[in-house]
Amino acid sequence: MADVAAARSGARTDATAHAPSHARRDAGRGTPAAGGSDRPDAPSGLSPSRATIDDVAREAGVSTATVSRALRHHPYVAESTRQRVLSAVERLRYVANANAARLASGQSRTVGLVAPMITSWYTSELTVGVEEVLTQARFDLLIGTANSAARERIFSGDARFQQRVDGVILVDVFCGDDAATRLADLDTPIVVLGEQVRDLTSVSIDNTRGARLAARHLIELGHKRIALVGGHTNLDVAKNVPTDRTAGFRDTLRSAGIRMPDAYLHDGDFTIPGGREAMHRLLELAKPPTAVFFLSDEMAFGALHALRERELQVGRDVSVVGFDDHPVSEAIGLTTVRQPVRDIGRLGARLMLDALDGFGVVRHHPVEVDLVARMSTGRPR
Amino acid sequence: MADVAAARSGARTDATAHAPSHARRDAGRGTPAAGGSDRPDAPSGLSPSRATIDDVAREAGVSTATVSRALRHHPYVAESTRQRVLSAVERLRYVANANAARLASGQSRTVGLVAPMITSWYTSELTVGVEEVLTQARFDLLIGTANSAARERIFSGDARFQQRVDGVILVDVFCGDDAATRLADLDTPIVVLGEQVRDLTSVSIDNTRGARLAARHLIELGHKRIALVGGHTNLDVAKNVPTDRTAGFRDTLRSAGIRMPDAYLHDGDFTIPGGREAMHRLLELAKPPTAVFFLSDEMAFGALHALRERELQVGRDVSVVGFDDHPVSEAIGLTTVRQPVRDIGRLGARLMLDALDGFGVVRHHPVEVDLVARMSTGRPR
DNA sequence: CGCTCCGATGTAAGCGCTTGCATCTCCGTG
DNA sequence: CACGGAGATGCAAGCGCTTACATCGGAGCG
């Protein structure tokens, strides 16, 4: 996932590769294919992780093939044999060398997770959910920031990524229909989180519905001058998310006979400072809105900052609604549209495992959204 | 990092392992050591990542050894040869198989990151910093939650972890002196972040000093009834952090002739709900404090929630100081002790790379702390 | 001009697993 | 009781790299 030539690491690799590997090699030398004849067989604690599958085989009195099968729950291994192997494993404190297994099997038992802005709460929460499930299944997680280079590479099925990963989980990565098709044609399983993408397995809330909930809430409170702060210009981030949310929101307003002037539409870049800036701009309008819907809680936090700077009171002077239900939102009383982020991550990981099993069925998996009303929203003055 | 027997994954492995590997194997078959005689050599786009080092060697008219050397910037390769190899690599779109390289070299080019509570902002920010640097050096990052099982395993130099990782970065993991010594004796490089541990390379702020800054700030504002909320009971988390901060804080108060009664010391578990709960308990006291120092911003957020629930005004009725400078803190105006979290991660990763290079010098690396005064603190009423 | 020495390559032996086949042992059947 | 077949193992050939050691030209030198 590096976009950088091996500049610095070049020297490093060579400088260091020598000493350690000498040591290892020498330790393992012996008659080829005959096995280390008379090493101190004592299972003492001082030589960690030195046992190989051959040692186990010898200790258990079976072939290495049998050890391998026994350890991986292969069906054709007698229970008694398996026990013998397991006890040998324990005695020798054997731990399989993952790299050897990967090389031999051609499977990396690793899933890549590609996301923009790993810093955001949303993404890291998602990651935690994914990691939780993968870890249980003894899969590794390889995390990559999706700067544009990385994304492009994935889209073109780049080998650098592909070779070390059995599948890829994409977070919020925007995807044109063409790119989606290309992705779907790849032989690597792909799961998209937070977005619904044609021809790909995905997990997300119904963004339109989420936005409708927010709109309805503000309408019911009696607001007429309602603004929306999203993030459109930054093509590096998910695109359906802002689009769908904006559409759903406007739609509902329209049905209620409320129109949102263009001046009420702002870009907050999905960051805290972006939200603050947008709020300031909105408040400088001749007719400022009485309520603002932010497409992420983090932008809403920024808005609260702006309001404080102008000595305005949230929920009274201006109502603010966020999106996500960041843990801080509860603490500061932000009304928001809650989505079960960690669950999305978990489900996504499970779907990935299924796909890797060959059970995968490509389809979209919707999850629940709901509105959490708190003190940041109230009737307009 | 899984603590789970391969229960579910057993079936998976066998069920799926077949189909794909047949395909791969068959594709690669040929006279052993003679090389695939006449495969369609066309560098067409349809067979991704199929080229091996042998293909490159043939294409460039050199031996595989030379290819390997050329690619890893080995000194004894003529520049002209290197160029020939590089162009062959490009033509064939060759990408080295990381697993094979790892197996052959015995180096995993992977660093493990073990932390409690990956959910917390602090940890994920740290992770981002680490990832940034490792990625540049073309190292992989393997993340593990440090539940007690994992931690124990690491402490005892467990092979499962050790075999797939060249070094380990420990975040906030408490370590008794005995355990530290054991760690230091391991052959795996270790870097500790956020804690200062004897005999180990570490990066952290001076926690004592940070706490002093907070204390001084409150004293200067004129507070006399000052409380502290930390997290002590949970041994799973860093221990020096709360200890040092508490010590520094009390110390400074004492010098100013202020004593902190035991009732003013609370455990907030380093979580938002924990902080809220603690704040409530403090406010129920006969003589509630006029200022509270929380050992993390997240706990302080919880406190703000509690204050709002009681309709008290932060900064006027009660002053609140946090620790970390979470991005939300600026938005909501929380006075806090700032530490350069991401930089700590970056520096830690760099130190790890140095250690892996053999340049490592075991020592503690201090980084700056400072106080950021905002509106959550003011003079006592 | 023969010899030493070093830079540049090639040879080939693994690294520690997985797995397609070959074997071998029983057991149920006709 | 011979025979097909399925279950349980063993054999051995790789997987795609890295690297110790051997080899081979020249350049520098006495």
Side-chain angles (χ1 to χ4, degrees):
Chain A
M1 341 262 296
D3 300 311
V4 174
R8 191 181 165 204
S9 57
R12 162 169 299 119
T13 307
D14 286 309
T16 56
H18 297 293
S21 48
H22 279 200
R24 304 199 187 197
R25 294 249 152 173
D26 295 348
R29 283 270 158 81
T31 320
S37 33
D38 45 14
R39 63 165 66 173
D41 258 335
S44 65
L46 267 187
S47 64
S49 79
R50 274 300 73 203
T52 73
I53 199 174
D54 293 281
D55 299 324
V56 176
R58 209 173 313 123
E59 176 85 11
V62 296
S63 70
T64 63
T66 299
V67 173
S68 173
R69 293 193 190 102
L71 259 29
R72 290 176 312 113
H73 298 248
H74 188 286
Y76 290 170
V77 175
E79 187 51 33
S80 59
T81 308
R82 190 195 311 288
Q83 287 312 327
R84 211 137 30 88
V85 169
L86 290 181
S87 96
V89 162
E90 194 151 343
R91 246 171 294 142
L92 267 38
R93 295 167 193 256
Y94 169 72
V95 178
N97 177 319
N99 295 320
R102 287 174 171 154
L103 174 57
S105 71
Q107 313 219 222
S108 62
R109 253 192 132 58
T110 298
V111 170
L113 189 279
V114 181
M117 302 211 290
I118 336 194
T119 348
S120 79
W121 170 78
Y122 176 79
T123 306
S124 61
E125 186 72 7
L126 223 41
T127 305
V128 170
V130 168
E131 203 248 351
E132 191 181 307
V133 172
L134 291 185
T135 285
Q136 285 234 347
R138 297 183 160 278
F139 265 75
D140 285 347
L141 216 208
L142 196 55
I143 294 174
T145 2
N147 45 32
S148 31
R151 194 166 317 119
E152 202 173 291
R153 216 183 298 136
I154 290 156
F155 284 174
S156 60
D158 174 52
R160 179 154 20 182
F161 200 87
Q162 212 169 313
Q163 274 206 352
R164 50 210 314 175
V165 148
D166 291 334
V168 178
I169 295 181
L170 257 28
V171 177
D172 262 9
V173 175
F174 165 63
C175 222
D177 276 352
D178 48 335
T181 313
R182 236 184 312 152
L183 278 178
D185 288 345
L186 241 54
D187 49 351
T188 311
I190 295 194
V191 172
V192 178
L193 263 32
E195 283 276 342
Q196 178 166 1
V197 179
R198 220 191 48 182
D199 298 334
L200 288 177
T201 296
S202 54
V203 184
S204 79
I205 54 166
D206 178 340
N207 282 295
T208 312
R209 192 177 125 67
R212 281 185 202 288
L213 293 177
R216 204 167 303 146
H217 175 67
L218 292 174
I219 292 168
E220 279 167 5
L221 285 172
H223 289 277
K224 306 279 183 208
R225 280 152 47 194
I226 306 178
L228 180 151
V229 176
H232 308 271
T233 56
N234 184 357
L235 281 180
D236 268 9
V237 184
K239 198 156 185 189
N240 298 336
V241 165
T243 307
D244 291 354
R245 290 183 191 167
T246 305
F249 196 76
R250 299 194 86 150
D251 237 51
T252 304
L253 292 192
R254 201 174 303 124
S255 316
I258 298 172
R259 65 172 279 281
M260 184 160 61
D262 284 349
Y264 276 13
L265 256 180
H266 264 271
D267 184 344
D269 192 38
F270 280 93
T271 63
I272 296 183
R276 175 181 169 203
E277 183 62 22
M279 188 77 237
H280 274 306
R281 291 297 84 75
L282 287 169
L283 291 172
E284 282 160 2
L285 293 175
K287 266 185 182 296
T290 60
V292 186
F293 176 41
F294 290 84
L295 299 194
S296 84
D297 280 0
E298 272 155 311
M299 289 193 287
F301 297 155
L304 301 194
H305 191 181
L307 291 174
R308 189 158 41 71
E309 286 172 318
R310 293 178 176 250
E311 297 187 343
L312 291 172
Q313 201 182 331
V314 190
R316 277 182 52 78
D317 300 317
V318 180
S319 286
V320 172
V321 180
F323 207 113
D324 284 347
D325 199 22
H326 188 295
V328 169
S329 300
E330 185 189 0
I332 64 179
L334 177 68
T335 295
T336 189
V337 180
R338 170 200 292 152
Q339 55 173 327
V341 185
R342 193 176 297 200
D343 288 337
I344 294 178
R346 291 194 185 108
L347 178 52
R350 250 174 253 127
L351 292 171
M352 173 53 76
L353 293 177
D354 287 346
L356 257 21
D357 265 354
F359 299 154
V361 179
V362 172
R363 73 179 198 84
H364 175 69
H365 298 254
V367 294
E368 292 289 302
V369 233
D370 52 358
L371 184 101
V372 190
R374 301 204 180 97
M375 50 148 285
S376 73
T377 45
R379 311 201 142 278
R381 308 199 70 169
Chain B
M1 338 272 298
D3 301 309
V4 175
R8 192 181 164 206
S9 56
R12 161 169 301 120
T13 307
D14 286 310
T16 55
H18 296 294
S21 49
H22 278 200
R24 304 197 186 195
R25 293 248 154 174
D26 296 349
R29 285 267 157 82
T31 318
S37 32
D38 44 16
R39 61 166 62 175
D41 258 335
S44 66
L46 267 188
S47 64
S49 77
R50 272 302 71 205
T52 72
I53 199 173
D54 292 283
D55 299 324
V56 176
R58 209 172 313 125
E59 176 85 11
V62 296
S63 71
T64 63
T66 299
V67 174
S68 174
R69 293 193 192 102
L71 259 31
R72 289 175 314 112
H73 298 248
H74 188 287
Y76 291 171
V77 175
E79 188 51 33
S80 59
T81 308
R82 190 196 311 288
Q83 288 310 327
R84 211 136 31 88
V85 170
L86 290 181
S87 96
V89 162
E90 194 151 342
R91 247 172 293 143
L92 266 39
R93 295 168 193 258
Y94 168 73
V95 178
N97 178 318
N99 295 320
R102 288 173 171 153
L103 175 57
S105 71
Q107 313 219 222
S108 62
R109 252 191 133 59
T110 298
V111 171
L113 188 280
V114 181
M117 304 211 289
I118 336 194
T119 347
S120 80
W121 170 77
Y122 176 80
T123 307
S124 61
E125 186 71 9
L126 223 41
T127 306
V128 170
V130 168
E131 203 249 351
E132 190 182 307
V133 172
L134 290 184
T135 285
Q136 285 233 347
R138 298 185 162 277
F139 265 75
D140 284 347
L141 216 209
L142 195 56
I143 294 175
T145 5
N147 47 32
S148 29
R151 194 165 319 119
E152 201 173 290
R153 216 185 296 136
I154 291 156
F155 284 175
S156 60
D158 174 53
R160 181 154 18 182
F161 200 88
Q162 214 168 312
Q163 275 208 352
R164 52 210 312 175
V165 149
D166 292 335
V168 178
I169 296 180
L170 259 28
V171 177
D172 262 9
V173 175
F174 165 64
C175 225
D177 276 353
D178 49 336
T181 312
R182 235 183 314 151
L183 278 177
D185 289 344
L186 241 53
D187 49 351
T188 312
I190 295 193
V191 172
V192 178
L193 264 32
E195 284 275 342
Q196 179 165 1
V197 179
R198 222 193 45 182
D199 297 336
L200 288 176
T201 296
S202 55
V203 184
S204 78
I205 54 166
D206 178 341
N207 282 293
T208 312
R209 191 176 126 69
R212 282 184 202 287
L213 293 176
R216 204 167 303 147
H217 175 66
L218 292 175
I219 293 167
E220 278 167 5
L221 284 171
H223 290 276
K224 305 279 182 210
R225 281 153 45 194
I226 306 176
L228 181 152
V229 176
H232 307 272
T233 57
N234 186 356
L235 281 180
D236 269 9
V237 184
K239 200 159 184 188
N240 299 338
V241 166
T243 308
D244 291 353
R245 291 184 192 167
T246 305
F249 196 75
R250 298 193 88 151
D251 237 50
T252 304
L253 292 192
R254 201 174 303 124
S255 316
I258 299 173
R259 63 172 281 280
M260 184 161 61
D262 284 349
Y264 276 12
L265 256 180
H266 265 270
D267 184 344
D269 192 39
F270 280 94
T271 63
I272 296 183
R276 175 180 171 203
E277 182 63 22
M279 187 76 238
H280 274 305
R281 291 297 82 75
L282 287 170
L283 292 172
E284 282 159 3
L285 293 176
K287 268 187 180 296
T290 61
V292 187
F293 175 40
F294 289 84
L295 299 194
S296 84
D297 280 0
E298 273 156 311
M299 290 193 286
F301 297 155
L304 301 193
H305 190 181
L307 291 173
R308 189 159 40 72
E309 285 172 318
R310 295 181 174 247
E311 298 186 340
L312 291 173
Q313 200 182 330
V314 189
R316 276 182 54 76
D317 300 317
V318 181
S319 286
V320 172
V321 180
F323 206 113
D324 283 347
D325 199 23
H326 188 296
V328 169
S329 301
E330 184 188 0
I332 64 180
L334 177 69
T335 295
T336 189
V337 180
R338 172 200 290 152
Q339 55 173 329
V341 184
R342 193 175 298 200
D343 288 337
I344 294 177
R346 290 193 186 108
L347 178 53
R350 247 174 255 127
L351 292 171
M352 173 55 75
L353 292 177
D354 287 347
L356 257 20
D357 264 354
F359 299 154
V361 178
V362 172
R363 73 177 198 86
H364 174 70
H365 297 254
V367 294
E368 290 291 301
V369 236
D370 52 359
L371 184 100
V372 190
R374 295 200 262 248
M375 50 147 288
S376 73
T377 45
R379 313 202 141 276
R381 309 197 70 171

